């Protein structure tokens, strides 16, 4: 019997996934330290029977036991990736055959790789893509119906997995993220950013799973439904975990779980299932409640959004700006920097534009003297490593655009396409594949039309052709092309008239303001007046130089147009303008102005590693005491960043960048400190991810932060045997041990590790990880629970009797 097309079912019925594989494996004998994926080969009957139980409970889709089946995890085992994936899919197929209803589906489970991607970690985007590609190719070969990318916390990692699926299979892609109690991902992305980016990348369904129970996940799903134009799925945990008689149990029973799921279905969720702690009983209860319910029709959302890795800018609701300064045309210093591969200069240009108020940054590196493609990739990576503003990728070359789109972390703008057929044929497939907005220029084979009506017709052509490629008009921006008044004075107003006409098509409009004044004196006056006229004509996103007075015109307009309610932003910018221009503090970097002349504290806050190292060396050469440097610059910088992180003003990327810069400063200071013999940095802490768990993300973050407060970290790595941890703790006479676990299947091994440490060592133990909480930590007899890296610092300070 031929299966129904799963894509057709997405809009016709509530699709029910299975529950937790790890929980069921533990019930069937999996112990801490065992690799769940090995059961596919060694105990395939158990895996098949778990699938079968879920099928009999009503699951439409069963998920392969491949959450960690990647080469990073398997490289030191006796099994190959091919063996694990082939056997996992066979277990699923055998269960479907035995169940008798062949119209069931197999979802191939692609879990997180367990490492942070660059620039925060060591794993490159290409390496992540290659790891996922190997899984996808094998899964497609052995016959799956869906790819489920789940428990993801980094949009960059999700993009690597999605591209691997799109480029090596035509199967549907579902993607679910995991969020913290602060309603953010690990890297600070909110619901809107995740939803807009995933939808743009072309997944078939998106949603949330893990970390939270149905009660906590409920308001987040409500927000996803507000933004998503595609099917939404949810797979919560069975509440919060706790240990009773040595076993992990959860605090929400199947009936309460199904009540929450039913409420979410009534809001618009059309795909559901369970994560940690859920069993066939949970799925059976959900099935009984939703089997006769039809999904609520999905309403298309029409907002226009551009995103970075953790920030979304919505266009068309109020005026936004694109900063034009990273473009070498007419900029000799930038041109020289690009030729000399001086990324620091480029990065500071980006910082200055952000500080001046840009919402989006245009990135153009087009010079005949350089490898434009290679340089575009490097510049994008550098900027998005430090700045969370969305980017507009600007080039006349298709290969350069694609290279930039591939490494970009978010939903960017492509600059540009035009009304020429060959342009649209080249650019629209890129926009569709990589999930980008497209900036359409109103020119064609005949050049730029003289009249507004002709430009309007080209805009219509671009929008209609984009639709043929599956690109909605909400993802099209139209630039009506301002020409310089010095040579085309009679056409200057036509661009403004064209804006008014194009707005009737329901798309956002863009206009490069600076073009109008080329070749004329007093350019600021011309630009300011023309910007005012363009804003009044209805332009949504002017392209301006925010370092000139153009930005003041825009801010004044927002006050007068009632977009800046209460004039709050205007007052904040200008009420203390004299002070601001002469006394820059915290994150305002106008003092830098292309030269490294700021204090060490500010450099550390910004995460400027190279400059911070040089500044530290200079301070030592001036005979400034290493301890004075630590106490007056480094510790205050760390404390400020830490406070802003706790207040949710900063997120993990900024925290790590600052910490990495601080680490390098400490390395410079260590020898000098030892010579002075005034402070002993040998405050040892052991960190390890417990046996059976290959996820290094949390531990590595804690390591970086602790090192920057002067603690010596002995990193035992991941998947560490109990005896190794105990032996090293005894050898080094360590006061504090930090243990990490991400998976429910390895938390019991954490408990066993704690028992042995308590029995044989005199040390304190702190624990952390996505599946843990304060109560759970107490149950497994840990001394401390660290909810994040800064908690780890506070615990370490307390253990070593430092002032916090």
């Amino acid at each position: 019997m031929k299966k129904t097309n799963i894509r057709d079912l997405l809009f016709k019925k509530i699709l029910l996934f299975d529950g937790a594989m790890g929980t069921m494996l533990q019930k069937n004998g999996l112990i801490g330290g065992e690799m769940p994926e090995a059961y596919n080969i060694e105990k395939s009957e158990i895996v098949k029977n778990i699938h079968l139980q879920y099928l009999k409970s009503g699951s439409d889709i069963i998920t392969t036991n491949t959450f960690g089946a990647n080469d990073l995890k398997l490289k030191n085992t006796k099994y190959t990736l091919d063996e694990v994936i082939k056997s996992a899919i066979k277990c699923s197929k055998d269960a479907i055959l035995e169940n008798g209803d062949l119209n069931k589906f197999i979802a191939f489970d692609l879990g997180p790789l367990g490492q942070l991607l660059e620039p925060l970690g060591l794993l490159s985007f290409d390496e992540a893509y290659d790891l996922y590609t190997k899984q996808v190719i094998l899964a497609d070969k052995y016959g799956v119906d869906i790819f489920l990318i789940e428990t993801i916390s980094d949009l960059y990692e999700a993009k690597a997995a999605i591209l691997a699926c799109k480029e090596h299979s035509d199967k549907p892609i579902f993607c679910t993220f995991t969020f913290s109690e602060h309603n953010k991902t690990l890297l600070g992305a909110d619901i809107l950013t995740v939803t807009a980016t995933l939808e743009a990348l072309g997944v078939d369904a998106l949603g949330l799973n893990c970390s939270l129970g149905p009660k906590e996940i409920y308001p987040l799903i409500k927000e996803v439904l507000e933004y998503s134009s595609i099917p939404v799925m949810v797979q919560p945990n069975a509440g919060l975990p706790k240990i009773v008689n040595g076993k992990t149990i959860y605090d929400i029973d199947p009936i309460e779980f199904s009540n929450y799921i039913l409420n979410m279905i009534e809001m618009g969720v059309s795909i559901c299932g369970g994560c940690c702690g859920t069993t066939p009983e949970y799925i059976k209860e959900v099935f009984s409640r939703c089997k006769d319910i039809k999904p609520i029709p999905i309403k298309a959302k029409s907002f226009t959004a551009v995103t970075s890795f953790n920030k979304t800018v919505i266009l068309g609701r109020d005026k936004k700006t694109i900063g034009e300064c990273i473009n070498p045309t007419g900029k000799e210093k930038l041109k020289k920097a690009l030729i000399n591969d001086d990324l620091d200069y480029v990065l500071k240009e980006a910082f200055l534009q952000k500080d001046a108020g840009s919402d989006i940054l245009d990135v153009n590196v087009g010079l005949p003297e350089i490898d434009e493609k290679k340089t575009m990739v490097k510049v994008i990576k550098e900027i998005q490593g430090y700045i969370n503003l969305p980017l507009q990728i600007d080039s006349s070359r298709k290969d350069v655009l694609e290279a930039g789109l591939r490494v970009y972390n978010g939903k960017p703008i492509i600059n540009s396409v035009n009304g020429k057929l060959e342009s649209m044929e080249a650019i629209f497939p890129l926009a569709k594949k990589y999930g980008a907005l497209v900036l359409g220029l109103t020119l064609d084979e005949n050049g730029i039309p003289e009249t507004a009506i002709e430009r309007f017709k080209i805009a219509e052509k671009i929008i209609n052709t984009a639709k043929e490629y599956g690109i909605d008009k909400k993802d099209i921006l139209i630039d009506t092309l301002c020409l310089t008044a010095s040579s085309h004075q009679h056409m200057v107003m036509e661009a403004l008239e064209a804006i008014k006409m194009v707005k009737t098509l329901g798309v956002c409009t863009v206009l490069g303001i600076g073009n109008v004044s080329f070749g004329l004196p007093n350019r600021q006056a011309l630009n300011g007046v023309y910007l005012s006229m363009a804003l009044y004509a209805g332009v949504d996103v002017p392209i301006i130089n925010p370092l000139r007075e153009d930005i003041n015109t825009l801010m004044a307009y927002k006050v007068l147009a009632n977009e800046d309610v209460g004039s709050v932003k205007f007052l904040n910018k200008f009420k203390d303008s004299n002070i601001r221009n002469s006394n820059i503090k915290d994150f305002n970097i106008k003092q830098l102005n292309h030269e490294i002349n700021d204090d060490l504290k500010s450099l550390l806050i910004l995460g400027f590693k190279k400059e911070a190292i040089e500044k530290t060396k200079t301070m030592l050469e001036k005979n400034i005491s290493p301890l004075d440097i630590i106490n007056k610059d480094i510790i205050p910088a760390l404390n400020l960043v830490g406070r802003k992180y706790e207040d949710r003003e900063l997120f993990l990327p900024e925290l790590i960048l600052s910490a990495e810069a601080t680490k390098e400063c400490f390395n410079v200071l260590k020898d000098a400190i030892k010579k002075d013999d005034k402070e002993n940095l040998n405050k040892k802490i052991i960190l390890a991810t417990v046996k059976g768990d290959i996820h290094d993300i949390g531990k590595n973050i804690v390591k970086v932060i602790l090192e920057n407060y002067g603690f010596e970290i002995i990193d035992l790595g991941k998947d560490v045997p109990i005896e190794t941890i105990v032996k090293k703790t005894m050898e080094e006479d360590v006061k504090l041990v930090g243990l990490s676990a991400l998976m429910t299947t390895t938390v019991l091994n954490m408990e066993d590790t704690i028992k042995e440490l308590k029995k044989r060592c005199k040390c304190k133990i702190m624990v952390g990880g996505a599946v843990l909480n304060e109560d759970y930590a107490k149950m497994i007899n840990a001394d401390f629970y660290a909810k994040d890296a800064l908690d780890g610092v506070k615990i370490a300070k307390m253990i070593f009797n430092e002032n916090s």
Side-chain angles (χ1 to χ4, degrees), residues 683-702:
K683 299 172 288 188
K684 296 179 182 177
I685 300 172
I686 283 177
L687 296 180
T689 302
V690 297
K691 180 67 179 174
D693 204 316
I694 55 92
H695 295 87
D696 246 3
I697 293 177
K699 173 183 68 62
N700 290 343
I701 294 168
V702 174

PDB file of all heavy atoms in Angstrom, residues 683-702:
ATOM      1  N   LYS A 683      43.921  28.065  41.508  1.00  0.00           N
ATOM      2  CA  LYS A 683      42.680  27.683  42.180  1.00  0.00           C
ATOM      3  C   LYS A 683      41.975  26.688  41.274  1.00  0.00           C
ATOM      4  O   LYS A 683      41.273  27.051  40.344  1.00  0.00           O
ATOM      5  CB  LYS A 683      41.820  28.925  42.429  1.00  0.00           C
ATOM      6  CG  LYS A 683      42.500  29.946  43.331  1.00  0.00           C
ATOM      7  CD  LYS A 683      41.733  31.248  43.404  1.00  0.00           C
ATOM      8  CE  LYS A 683      41.822  32.036  42.122  1.00  0.00           C
ATOM      9  NZ  LYS A 683      41.242  33.380  42.219  1.00  0.00           N
ATOM     10  N   LYS A 684      42.191  25.399  41.557  1.00  0.00           N
ATOM     11  CA  LYS A 684      41.818  24.350  40.605  1.00  0.00           C
ATOM     12  C   LYS A 684      40.358  23.936  40.734  1.00  0.00           C
ATOM     13  O   LYS A 684      39.836  23.756  41.827  1.00  0.00           O
ATOM     14  CB  LYS A 684      42.705  23.122  40.812  1.00  0.00           C
ATOM     15  CG  LYS A 684      44.170  23.369  40.530  1.00  0.00           C
ATOM     16  CD  LYS A 684      44.988  22.103  40.780  1.00  0.00           C
ATOM     17  CE  LYS A 684      46.475  22.362  40.541  1.00  0.00           C
ATOM     18  NZ  LYS A 684      47.272  21.153  40.849  1.00  0.00           N
ATOM     19  N   ILE A 685      39.730  23.767  39.574  1.00  0.00           N
ATOM     20  CA  ILE A 685      38.370  23.235  39.490  1.00  0.00           C
ATOM     21  C   ILE A 685      38.356  22.185  38.384  1.00  0.00           C
ATOM     22  O   ILE A 685      38.887  22.426  37.289  1.00  0.00           O
ATOM     23  CB  ILE A 685      37.347  24.343  39.158  1.00  0.00           C
ATOM     24  CG1 ILE A 685      37.360  25.436  40.235  1.00  0.00           C
ATOM     25  CG2 ILE A 685      35.945  23.750  39.010  1.00  0.00           C
ATOM     26  CD1 ILE A 685      36.511  26.643  39.882  1.00  0.00           C
ATOM     27  N   ILE A 686      37.772  21.046  38.651  1.00  0.00           N
ATOM     28  CA  ILE A 686      37.611  20.020  37.624  1.00  0.00           C
ATOM     29  C   ILE A 686      36.234  20.157  36.989  1.00  0.00           C
ATOM     30  O   ILE A 686      35.230  20.331  37.693  1.00  0.00           O
ATOM     31  CB  ILE A 686      37.775  18.603  38.218  1.00  0.00           C
ATOM     32  CG1 ILE A 686      39.263  18.302  38.438  1.00  0.00           C
ATOM     33  CG2 ILE A 686      37.159  17.528  37.323  1.00  0.00           C
ATOM     34  CD1 ILE A 686      39.536  16.970  39.092  1.00  0.00           C
ATOM     35  N   LEU A 687      36.193  20.105  35.666  1.00  0.00           N
ATOM     36  CA  LEU A 687      34.933  20.084  34.933  1.00  0.00           C
ATOM     37  C   LEU A 687      34.881  18.835  34.061  1.00  0.00           C
ATOM     38  O   LEU A 687      35.884  18.448  33.465  1.00  0.00           O
ATOM     39  CB  LEU A 687      34.789  21.326  34.049  1.00  0.00           C
ATOM     40  CG  LEU A 687      34.699  22.684  34.739  1.00  0.00           C
ATOM     41  CD1 LEU A 687      34.551  23.792  33.692  1.00  0.00           C
ATOM     42  CD2 LEU A 687      33.536  22.742  35.718  1.00  0.00           C
ATOM     43  N   ALA A 688      33.690  18.235  33.967  1.00  0.00           N
ATOM     44  CA  ALA A 688      33.532  17.044  33.130  1.00  0.00           C
ATOM     45  C   ALA A 688      32.073  16.866  32.741  1.00  0.00           C
ATOM     46  O   ALA A 688      31.170  17.143  33.536  1.00  0.00           O
ATOM     47  CB  ALA A 688      34.028  15.798  33.864  1.00  0.00           C
ATOM     48  N   THR A 689      31.856  16.421  31.512  1.00  0.00           N
ATOM     49  CA  THR A 689      30.547  15.930  31.108  1.00  0.00           C
ATOM     50  C   THR A 689      30.516  14.440  31.411  1.00  0.00           C
ATOM     51  O   THR A 689      31.447  13.714  31.044  1.00  0.00           O
ATOM     52  CB  THR A 689      30.299  16.168  29.608  1.00  0.00           C
ATOM     53  OG1 THR A 689      30.415  17.568  29.339  1.00  0.00           O
ATOM     54  CG2 THR A 689      28.919  15.700  29.206  1.00  0.00           C
ATOM     55  N   VAL A 690      29.476  13.977  32.065  1.00  0.00           N
ATOM     56  CA  VAL A 690      29.484  12.635  32.642  1.00  0.00           C
ATOM     57  C   VAL A 690      29.453  11.533  31.588  1.00  0.00           C
ATOM     58  O   VAL A 690      29.177  11.772  30.410  1.00  0.00           O
ATOM     59  CB  VAL A 690      28.301  12.450  33.614  1.00  0.00           C
ATOM     60  CG1 VAL A 690      28.417  13.415  34.784  1.00  0.00           C
ATOM     61  CG2 VAL A 690      26.969  12.606  32.897  1.00  0.00           C
ATOM     62  N   LYS A 691      29.750  10.349  32.023  1.00  0.00           N
ATOM     63  CA  LYS A 691      29.812   9.178  31.149  1.00  0.00           C
ATOM     64  C   LYS A 691      28.513   9.019  30.354  1.00  0.00           C
ATOM     65  O   LYS A 691      27.423   9.153  30.873  1.00  0.00           O
ATOM     66  CB  LYS A 691      30.052   7.914  31.991  1.00  0.00           C
ATOM     67  CG  LYS A 691      30.137   6.622  31.184  1.00  0.00           C
ATOM     68  CD  LYS A 691      31.367   6.600  30.310  1.00  0.00           C
ATOM     69  CE  LYS A 691      31.456   5.302  29.516  1.00  0.00           C
ATOM     70  NZ  LYS A 691      32.569   5.322  28.543  1.00  0.00           N
ATOM     71  N   GLY A 692      28.679   8.779  29.043  1.00  0.00           N
ATOM     72  CA  GLY A 692      27.531   8.540  28.176  1.00  0.00           C
ATOM     73  C   GLY A 692      26.986   9.784  27.508  1.00  0.00           C
ATOM     74  O   GLY A 692      26.148   9.694  26.615  1.00  0.00           O
ATOM     75  N   ASP A 693      27.484  10.961  27.912  1.00  0.00           N
ATOM     76  CA  ASP A 693      26.970  12.224  27.355  1.00  0.00           C
ATOM     77  C   ASP A 693      28.081  12.907  26.570  1.00  0.00           C
ATOM     78  O   ASP A 693      29.157  13.176  27.106  1.00  0.00           O
ATOM     79  CB  ASP A 693      26.499  13.140  28.485  1.00  0.00           C
ATOM     80  CG  ASP A 693      25.470  14.152  28.012  1.00  0.00           C
ATOM     81  OD1 ASP A 693      25.685  14.739  26.941  1.00  0.00           O
ATOM     82  OD2 ASP A 693      24.467  14.350  28.716  1.00  0.00           O
ATOM     83  N   ILE A 694      27.832  13.202  25.290  1.00  0.00           N
ATOM     84  CA  ILE A 694      28.863  13.797  24.435  1.00  0.00           C
ATOM     85  C   ILE A 694      28.610  15.277  24.186  1.00  0.00           C
ATOM     86  O   ILE A 694      29.231  15.878  23.318  1.00  0.00           O
ATOM     87  CB  ILE A 694      28.964  13.042  23.079  1.00  0.00           C
ATOM     88  CG1 ILE A 694      27.601  12.973  22.371  1.00  0.00           C
ATOM     89  CG2 ILE A 694      29.530  11.670  23.281  1.00  0.00           C
ATOM     90  CD1 ILE A 694      27.306  14.048  21.424  1.00  0.00           C
ATOM     91  N   HIS A 695      27.714  15.884  24.938  1.00  0.00           N
ATOM     92  CA  HIS A 695      27.366  17.291  24.719  1.00  0.00           C
ATOM     93  C   HIS A 695      28.250  18.172  25.588  1.00  0.00           C
ATOM     94  O   HIS A 695      28.170  18.142  26.812  1.00  0.00           O
ATOM     95  CB  HIS A 695      25.889  17.519  25.006  1.00  0.00           C
ATOM     96  CG  HIS A 695      25.012  16.784  24.049  1.00  0.00           C
ATOM     97  ND1 HIS A 695      24.632  15.482  24.261  1.00  0.00           N
ATOM     98  CD2 HIS A 695      24.479  17.142  22.865  1.00  0.00           C
ATOM     99  CE1 HIS A 695      23.883  15.077  23.243  1.00  0.00           C
ATOM    100  NE2 HIS A 695      23.782  16.064  22.384  1.00  0.00           N
ATOM    101  N   ASP A 696      29.082  18.949  24.933  1.00  0.00           N
ATOM    102  CA  ASP A 696      30.109  19.748  25.594  1.00  0.00           C
ATOM    103  C   ASP A 696      29.740  21.217  25.759  1.00  0.00           C
ATOM    104  O   ASP A 696      30.498  21.971  26.346  1.00  0.00           O
ATOM    105  CB  ASP A 696      31.393  19.685  24.750  1.00  0.00           C
ATOM    106  CG  ASP A 696      32.518  18.963  25.485  1.00  0.00           C
ATOM    107  OD1 ASP A 696      32.275  18.488  26.596  1.00  0.00           O
ATOM    108  OD2 ASP A 696      33.622  18.882  24.928  1.00  0.00           O
ATOM    109  N   ILE A 697      28.590  21.618  25.220  1.00  0.00           N
ATOM    110  CA  ILE A 697      28.295  23.050  25.135  1.00  0.00           C
ATOM    111  C   ILE A 697      28.309  23.726  26.504  1.00  0.00           C
ATOM    112  O   ILE A 697      29.043  24.680  26.736  1.00  0.00           O
ATOM    113  CB  ILE A 697      26.935  23.280  24.447  1.00  0.00           C
ATOM    114  CG1 ILE A 697      27.020  22.863  22.979  1.00  0.00           C
ATOM    115  CG2 ILE A 697      26.522  24.744  24.541  1.00  0.00           C
ATOM    116  CD1 ILE A 697      25.709  22.978  22.236  1.00  0.00           C
ATOM    117  N   GLY A 698      27.490  23.223  27.419  1.00  0.00           N
ATOM    118  CA  GLY A 698      27.376  23.867  28.722  1.00  0.00           C
ATOM    119  C   GLY A 698      28.689  23.899  29.472  1.00  0.00           C
ATOM    120  O   GLY A 698      29.081  24.935  30.033  1.00  0.00           O
ATOM    121  N   LYS A 699      29.386  22.775  29.487  1.00  0.00           N
ATOM    122  CA  LYS A 699      30.660  22.695  30.200  1.00  0.00           C
ATOM    123  C   LYS A 699      31.683  23.666  29.630  1.00  0.00           C
ATOM    124  O   LYS A 699      32.398  24.336  30.380  1.00  0.00           O
ATOM    125  CB  LYS A 699      31.210  21.267  30.144  1.00  0.00           C
ATOM    126  CG  LYS A 699      32.626  21.107  30.715  1.00  0.00           C
ATOM    127  CD  LYS A 699      33.132  19.711  30.564  1.00  0.00           C
ATOM    128  CE  LYS A 699      33.379  19.354  29.124  1.00  0.00           C
ATOM    129  NZ  LYS A 699      34.410  20.199  28.481  1.00  0.00           N
ATOM    130  N   ASN A 700      31.762  23.755  28.322  1.00  0.00           N
ATOM    131  CA  ASN A 700      32.748  24.633  27.696  1.00  0.00           C
ATOM    132  C   ASN A 700      32.480  26.100  27.999  1.00  0.00           C
ATOM    133  O   ASN A 700      33.406  26.900  28.147  1.00  0.00           O
ATOM    134  CB  ASN A 700      32.767  24.407  26.184  1.00  0.00           C
ATOM    135  CG  ASN A 700      33.355  23.059  25.817  1.00  0.00           C
ATOM    136  OD1 ASN A 700      34.029  22.430  26.624  1.00  0.00           O
ATOM    137  ND2 ASN A 700      33.084  22.602  24.606  1.00  0.00           N
ATOM    138  N   ILE A 701      31.207  26.460  28.080  1.00  0.00           N
ATOM    139  CA  ILE A 701      30.855  27.843  28.427  1.00  0.00           C
ATOM    140  C   ILE A 701      31.296  28.147  29.857  1.00  0.00           C
ATOM    141  O   ILE A 701      31.907  29.184  30.138  1.00  0.00           O
ATOM    142  CB  ILE A 701      29.347  28.071  28.262  1.00  0.00           C
ATOM    143  CG1 ILE A 701      28.949  27.964  26.785  1.00  0.00           C
ATOM    144  CG2 ILE A 701      28.941  29.428  28.826  1.00  0.00           C
ATOM    145  CD1 ILE A 701      27.466  27.886  26.559  1.00  0.00           C
ATOM    146  N   VAL A 702      30.994  27.233  30.769  1.00  0.00           N
ATOM    147  CA  VAL A 702      31.381  27.415  32.173  1.00  0.00           C
ATOM    148  C   VAL A 702      32.900  27.526  32.294  1.00  0.00           C
ATOM    149  O   VAL A 702      33.425  28.355  33.039  1.00  0.00           O
ATOM    150  CB  VAL A 702      30.845  26.246  33.029  1.00  0.00           C
ATOM    151  CG1 VAL A 702      31.365  26.346  34.458  1.00  0.00           C
ATOM    152  CG2 VAL A 702      29.320  26.245  33.032  1.00  0.00           C
TER     153      VAL A 702
END
